[in-house]
Amino acid sequence: EVQLVESGGDLVQPGGSLRLSCAASGFTFSSYWMHWVRQAPGKGLVWVSRIDTDGSSTHYADSVKGRFTISRDNAKNTVYLQMNSLRAEDTAVYYCARGGITFDYWGQGTLVTVSS
Amino acid sequence: DIVMTQSPDSLAVSLGERATINCKSSQSVLYSSNNKNYLAWYQQKPGQPPKLLIYWASTRESGVPDRFSGSGSGTDFTLTISSLQAEDVAVYYCQQHYYTPPAFGQGTKVEIK
């Protein structure tokens, strides 16, 4: 059974940093692109970032470019999202998703709240 | 960037009746080399992550009831729930995965009338 479990969400002050993790199981992790998608409270889904199978290629939404860094450790079956210079508008539930044909499996999400 | 626009924003349908959601892409998501539309539909129930329902515009994900169907090509797509059930109350999103960045529609909330 495919499972994606996010962790690392927390309350952080504006300008602060946070690292999210997504632990994967039930599939060959190193064969799939992985994505982060976020959802602000009461709002829609917004793609944040993706990483290819070996980490050699990454892409970011313009809203997070230069502040967020996606990475992965295929030995640990884990994808990460390092978030720096956090802003109030980054407040959201962050989901990791497996990149099959499209986002075919999602984790339950982890809540990031940016507030003073 | 590609913009995905859904209509309506919400709809209320009686149990057993048909629900139709439209999705329009600002550019074609049809890839001519394989004749596939890179358009997916997701269902999100309150407090849950999204669930993939349909990909390639019309292919149901494994385990998705056949009352859900997708149609359309190029820039215009439709998700149809042929006979609405109580468990179908949710927000539905379309999403293009042809271009980077992938883009979602704003969502359509489906309720029971």
Side-chain angles (χ1 to χ4, degrees):
Chain A
E1 178 194 6
V2 173
Q3 283 198 323
L4 298 170
V5 180
E6 301 95 336
S7 60
D10 204 348
L11 170 63
V12 61
Q13 292 190 343
S17 297
L18 214 52
R19 188 176 85 154
L20 306 182
S21 300
C22 170
S25 60
F27 65 100
T28 305
F29 179 73
S30 59
S31 296
Y32 288 86
W33 290 8
M34 296 297 296
H35 300 258
W36 287 96
V37 177
R38 69 184 181 184
Q39 186 170 36
K43 302 298 185 181
L45 302 167
V46 177
W47 175 82
V48 173
S49 182
R50 81 147 194 256
I51 188 166
D52 70 353
T53 55
D54 64 1
S56 61
S57 176
T58 59
H59 284 83
Y60 300 91
D62 286 345
S63 58
V64 308
K65 202 171 294 182
R67 300 188 298 123
F68 290 11
T69 302
I70 191 172
S71 62
R72 67 190 296 160
D73 185 336
N74 285 345
K76 295 183 177 180
N77 289 350
T78 302
V79 61
Y80 304 97
L81 187 67
Q82 176 67 43
M83 304 186 295
N84 298 331
S85 303
L86 283 162
R87 307 166 180 168
E89 55 264 36
D90 296 318
T91 294
V93 173
Y94 285 73
Y95 297 102
C96 69
R98 190 179 82 165
I101 294 172
T102 184
F103 307 138
D104 56 0
Y105 287 92
W106 298 63
Q108 289 295 314
T110 187
L111 177 61
V112 172
T113 303
V114 184
S115 175
S116 54
Chain B
D1 292 356
I2 305 302
V3 176
M4 308 299 291
T5 304
Q6 292 180 227
S7 61
D9 290 333
S10 65
L11 75 161
V13 176
S14 300
L15 288 173
E17 296 300 304
R18 179 185 300 260
T20 301
I21 301 168
N22 299 303
C23 174
K24 188 173 185 68
S25 172
S26 60
Q27 293 185 40
S28 176
V29 297
L30 173 62
Y31 187 39
S32 57
S33 295
N34 59 10
N35 201 37
K36 290 188 182 296
N37 287 281
Y38 284 58
L39 190 285
W41 289 96
Y42 300 84
Q43 175 193 64
Q44 187 178 32
K45 297 181 180 180
Q48 295 185 19
K51 173 188 173 184
L52 177 63
L53 295 178
I54 287 170
Y55 57 95
W56 298 142
S58 61
T59 301
R60 266 188 307 275
E61 178 73 332
S62 176
V64 172
D66 61 6
R67 63 180 180 274
F68 291 92
S69 64
S71 63
S73 184
T75 61
D76 293 280
F77 301 90
T78 299
L79 174 69
T80 300
I81 309 172
S82 60
S83 176
L84 191 74
Q85 305 300 302
E87 61 266 32
D88 300 335
V89 169
V91 179
Y92 293 84
Y93 295 91
C94 64
Q95 178 239 336
Q96 68 81 16
H97 51 106
Y98 185 97
Y99 302 96
T100 297
F104 294 90
Q106 80 275 17
T108 295
K109 187 174 185 178
V110 174
E111 299 173 307
I112 304 296
K113 184 188 291 183

